[in-house]
């Protein structure tokens, strides 16, 4: 398939790996920001093919995972109310709130519907003028523009029974917060290519300068990720810290002006809580005053919700790159995709789900498996790396 097959070419991957091996002289810790990149890395075993000096730390760029528990509980509360049709993308239905999830609300009689676009929810609102229709708007700069456009349409067409439960977040403030953390080990970032295709790259040079950290805009296929790693390592070895675009087939410096204009019209920047991390200043969007009538939080007044995270879930550490999923005691035992304790085990972009899908058969006991850095220090190859010896990707 065009734009996929040519970016999975094993011979080219081998050449990029050779270049990375020839470049690296000491340990470096890089963070891939997006959960889609994490899945690609784990699925293709890219972290295990890299030289042991390079550790990939999985970042917080999974929209489902970072949606705060309080917002999940608000969704559960609204979806339970009589007369409400609650619409969402499918992956939010299994995210555990305090004691239940949206699937259980549906099982208890709530009208919870899976849609494939916010415009589907708007159509449902048009078809059901006597019902309140709410769409759960979560995610980063990638999903915010279509949700903004849907609210814009609702206002323009006077569809008053449509509202948006907003939990949108922005990547640059999260990078800033990660770098400010006293526990931060990140020395370079693979920035999320699809986010930059919307927002461009203008927000990143100041971050790179302030934190003296290279930021390379990176795509999602194996060759994209290897090229992002190669460029980041090259900068680190040279002592540089600039912004580079390694995803030029999708990203321009200015991004998508039409999408940015829609965001500016409908949303305003606000502080936002990230699940497992806490409040990050200016890291989210909410509906601006002009569109406040379509704000589900405002319409349903869901305040004073008492939230409780499962004590054994360490997804906050996973989301900050402080813990690998298979180092959590609950991984693959009390926490699986069928009965997840945390959102990072639910989402198709969650790091815990990626490890469960592709790594759960690796040797070792949950909670006691050596992290990549320890493996690198001991020079021990992972079982997957060993099994690939002699292959074009090894
Ligand atoms: S494996 Fe499960 S319990 Fe552990 S951090 Fe991930 S989601 Fe939470």
């Amino acid at each position: 398939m065009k734009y996929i097959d040519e970016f999975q070419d094993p011979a080219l991957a081998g050449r990029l790996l050779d270049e990375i091996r020839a470049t690296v002289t000491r340990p470096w810790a890089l963070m891939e920001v997006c959960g889609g990149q994490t899945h690609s890395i784990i699925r293709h075993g890219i972290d295990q093919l890299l030289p042991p000096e390079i550790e990939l730390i999985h970042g917080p760029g999974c929209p489902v995972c970072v949606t705060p528990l309080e917002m999940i509980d608000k969704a559960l509360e609204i979806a339970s109310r009589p007369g409400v049709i609650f619409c969402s993308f499918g992956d939010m239905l299994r995210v555990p709130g305090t004691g239940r999830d949206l699937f259980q609300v549906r099982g208890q009689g709530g009208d919870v519907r899976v849609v494939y676009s916010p415009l589907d929810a708007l159509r449902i609102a048009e078809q059901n003028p006597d019902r309140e229709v709410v769409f759960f708007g979560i995610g980063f700069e990638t999903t915010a523009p279509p949700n903004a456009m849907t609210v814009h349409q609702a206002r323009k067409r006077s569809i008053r029974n449509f509202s948006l439960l907003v939990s949108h977040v922005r990547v640059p403030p999260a990078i800033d917060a990660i770098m400010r953390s006293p526990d931060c080990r990140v020395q370079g970032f693979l920035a999320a290519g699809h986010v930059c295709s919307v927002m461009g790259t203008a927000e990143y040079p100041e971050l790179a300068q302030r934190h003296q950290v290279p930021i390379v805009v990176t795509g999602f296929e194996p060759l994209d990720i290897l090229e992002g790693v190669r460029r980041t390592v090259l900068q680190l070895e040279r002592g540089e810290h600039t912004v580079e675009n390694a995803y030029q087939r999708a990203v321009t410096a200015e991004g998508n002006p039409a999408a940015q204009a829609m965001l500016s019209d409908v949303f305003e920047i606000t502080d936002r809580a990230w699940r497992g991390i806490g409040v990050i200043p200016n890291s989210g969007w909410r509906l601006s005053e002009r569109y406040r009538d379509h704000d589900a939080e405002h319409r349903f007044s869901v305040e004073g919700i008492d939230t409780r995270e499962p004590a054994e879930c360490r997804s906050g550490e996973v989301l900050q790159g402080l813990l690998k999923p298979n180092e959590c005691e609950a991984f693959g035992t009390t926490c699986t995709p069928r009965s997840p304790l945390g959102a990072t085990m639910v989402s198709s972009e969650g790091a815990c789900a990626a490890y469960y899908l592709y790594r759960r058969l690796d040797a070792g006991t949950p909670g006691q498996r050596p992290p990549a850095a320890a493996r690198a220090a001991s020079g021990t190859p992972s079982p997957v790396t060993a099994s690939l010896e002699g292959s074009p990707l090894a």
Side-chain angles (χ1 to χ4, degrees), residues 312-316 318 323 325 328-332 334-336 340-346 352:
E312 61 269 56
C313 180
R314 301 176 68 186
S315 59
V318 171
L323 186 84
C328 169
E329 290 291 341
F331 176 82
T334 54
C335 181
T336 67
L341 291 175
T344 45
M345 187 57 96
V346 178
C352 298

Side-chain angles (χ1 to χ4, degrees), residues 56-379:
L56 293 181
I57 297 175
H58 313 313
C62 157
V64 173
C65 309
V66 300
T67 301
L69 182 59
E70 186 187 8
M71 197 56 78
I72 303 289
D73 284 349
K74 285 180 179 177
L76 296 169
E77 165 67 22
I78 293 170
S80 303
R81 296 202 181 169
V84 168
I85 301 173
F86 193 88
C87 301
S88 171
F89 294 140
D91 49 4
M92 292 307 290
L93 267 64
R94 290 186 56 80
V95 177
T98 303
R100 57 182 180 156
D101 59 32
L102 283 167
F103 261 129
Q104 287 165 309
V105 170
R106 185 155 80 175
Q108 291 157 359
D111 193 346
V112 178
R113 302 188 190 182
V114 173
V115 294
Y116 295 96
S117 158
L119 288 174
D120 291 343
L122 194 61
R123 197 173 311 116
I124 291 170
E126 267 187 307
Q127 292 164 349
N128 296 272
D130 55 336
R131 307 274 301 274
E132 283 289 335
V133 176
V134 182
F135 180 71
F136 201 178
I138 68 142
F140 289 86
E141 291 92 331
T142 44
T143 52
N147 291 344
M149 189 264 291
T150 304
V151 176
H152 179 85
Q153 286 286 319
R155 185 171 184 273
K156 192 172 159 192
R157 291 156 54 189
S158 299
I159 305 175
R160 295 198 174 82
N161 62 326
F162 175 84
S163 60
L164 189 70
L165 182 60
V166 188
S167 189
H168 282 303
V169 284
R170 303 169 58 236
V171 166
I175 289 181
D176 188 49
I178 287 165
M179 290 309 296
R180 288 176 188 277
S181 164
D183 298 322
C184 177
R185 297 190 296 116
V186 179
Q187 295 163 296
F189 284 95
L190 310 185
H194 53 357
V195 166
C196 295
S197 73
V198 175
M199 303 305 290
T201 55
E203 294 177 279
Y204 293 96
E206 195 270 330
L207 275 175
Q209 283 302 315
R210 188 190 315 157
H211 298 294
Q212 307 273 290
V213 64
I215 299 176
V216 176
V217 178
T218 301
F220 300 87
E221 295 303 323
L223 296 192
D224 291 319
I225 289 167
L226 288 171
E227 175 63 1
V229 170
R230 187 189 71 80
R231 291 194 192 200
T232 310
V233 169
L234 197 57
Q235 282 202 44
L236 287 166
E237 291 282 345
R238 288 174 173 167
E240 296 171 355
H241 40 80
T242 62
V243 176
E244 285 186 61
N245 181 3
Y247 196 37
Q248 290 191 1
R249 70 183 184 279
V251 174
T252 59
E254 65 274 12
N256 182 332
Q260 292 166 24
M262 187 56 71
L263 287 170
S264 304
D265 178 45
V266 174
F267 290 131
E268 61 189 22
I269 288 175
T270 185
D271 297 348
R272 187 63 80 187
W274 295 52
R275 191 168 191 173
I277 296 176
V279 175
I280 302 177
N282 298 320
S283 69
W285 278 297
R286 67 179 175 195
L287 288 169
S288 62
E289 193 60 44
R290 212 153 75 91
Y291 292 90
R292 199 58 53 81
D293 285 351
H294 292 281
D295 187 337
E297 277 190 89
H298 184 66
R299 185 171 295 190
F300 293 93
S301 65
V302 276
E303 300 304 323
I305 284 179
D306 180 27
T307 60
R308 272 166 288 120
E309 289 276 12
E312 61 269 56
C313 180
R314 301 176 68 186
S315 59
E317 291 163 85
V318 171
L319 287 166
Q320 293 175 77
L322 303 175
L323 186 84
K324 292 281 192 283
N326 56 354
E327 293 161 16
C328 169
E329 290 291 341
F331 176 82
T333 54
T334 54
C335 181
T336 67
R338 284 183 71 85
S339 62
L341 291 175
T344 45
M345 187 57 96
V346 178
S347 168
S348 58
E349 294 185 64
C352 298
Y355 272 67
Y356 188 85
L357 199 56
Y358 303 115
R359 291 279 163 86
R360 70 180 185 278
L361 299 181
D362 279 12
T365 305
Q368 296 176 356
R369 291 167 183 157
R375 212 175 53 235
S378 69

